[in-house]
Amino acid sequence: MTVLENRGLTEPMKSAGAMTSALECAMTADDKVIILGEDVADPIGGVFKVTKGLSTKFGTRRVRATPISEQAIIGTAIGLSMVGYRPVAEVMFFDFITVAMDQIVNHAAKLRYMSGGATPAPITIRTTVGGSRFGAQHAQSLEAWFMHTPGIKVVMPSGPRDAKGLLESCIFDDDPCLYIEHMGLAFSTTEDVPVADFRLPLGKANVIRAGTDMTIISYGPMVRPSLEVSTTLAADGIDCEVIDLRTLSPLDLDTIFESVTKTRRAAVVHEATQFCGPGAEISSQIHEQLFGELLAPVVRLGAAYTPVPFSTALSGYPTHDTIVAAVQSAVRA
């Protein structure tokens, strides 16, 4: 049975399983898709078990466990991409990306540009964020750094269905993609996810709740809390529209502007630090384009400007109550 014939079949999956399904589908469709990273091969199958079973099915030639060297992992992935492969390179935690910044920012992101399009770098870098109890060096949200870097796409799913559709799209995109997984989402919610090949467009946000009074813009782990806030506020007579960005770069400004033109108020919510976080750019874009239409300044809610503490009580992440209070203040201003 072909992929297209299977497209309508779904199974309940959590995000970790949906990503495994995406990798399996991609590796089945194209033998140039390979995986490399620390502990990705069986029996471990990745620290969060996303690659579990794949080396058994496809062999260790295509699912390569590597030494603990982020520079080597990304450097090898770039070299493989230049000779026709589509490598999926895993960097275990987002903080460890810093070790390979030269390879990502000065090589992967620039090869297509410097070669006049002759040398794309179709690599997907999977990395994990979240969970302060892993310590300050294992939980930092650095997505704004890469939004600032031309030439690389930045993706962060909020649930199982998007986890599969966005990962497959990253793998088959001809530009380097940074695919950020939040460990708090890996085994939490369950959704019906297509079993076969399934791709969602990169750079296209998803309006997951329509509303007229306030636009709440979020991505990744803060999407579900934003939806819960919208339910709470509905009981207070405030009708919120909720946007899941899905992709941070390219940023779907058209969907954002269309929504805020209607609601005339906006809040941006994320786990990255509020200072110089993604919300700063989104807020600036809204103010520049829609200043005369706004009924209140754009609200930004993010983490405290501090290394991630071990205690979740000190994290400074937006909470249900802080988001509710910020929206109420903006609507009643």
Side-chain angles (χ1 to χ4, degrees), residues 10 16 22 32 67 85 89 101 110 113 122-123 150 154 193 217 222 228 240 256 263-264 312 321-322 333:
T10 64
K32 295 297 186 181
Y85 287 88
M101 284 293 281
K110 295 176 180 175
Y113 177 82
I123 72 172
V154 183
V193 178
I217 303 160
M222 294 310 300
E228 292 168 353
C240 292
I256 293 171
T263 63
R264 304 176 74 182
T312 54
D321 290 345
T322 60

Side-chain angles (χ1 to χ4, degrees), residues 75-87 107 111 118-123:
T76 301
I78 293 169
L80 287 165
S81 74
M82 295 175 72
V83 293
Y85 287 88
R86 292 187 175 273
H107 297 277
L111 280 173
T119 310
I123 72 172

Side-chain angles (χ1 to χ4, degrees), residues 150-173:
I152 185 167
K153 294 180 170 71
V154 183
V155 176
M156 194 168 188
S158 63
R161 188 175 183 276
D162 284 7
K164 176 168 183 176
L166 293 171
L167 180 53
E168 277 206 62
S169 291
C170 286
I171 293 169
F172 290 106
D173 194 275

Side-chain angles (χ1 to χ4, degrees), residues 76-145:
T76 301
I78 293 169
L80 287 165
S81 74
M82 295 175 72
V83 293
Y85 287 88
R86 292 187 175 273
V88 181
E90 179 179 313
V91 174
M92 195 176 289
F93 289 97
F94 207 170
D95 310 69
F96 303 166
I97 286 277
T98 57
V99 183
M101 284 293 281
D102 179 51
Q103 283 82 357
I104 297 169
V105 172
N106 285 324
H107 297 277
K110 295 176 180 175
L111 280 173
R112 179 196 283 274
Y113 177 82
M114 294 194 303
S115 66
T119 310
I123 72 172
T124 299
I125 303 167
R126 290 181 47 240
T127 194
T128 305
V129 72
S132 64
R133 291 190 180 277
F134 281 87
Q137 295 175 331
H138 294 70
Q140 192 173 192
S141 297
L142 302 172
E143 53 266 28
W145 288 7

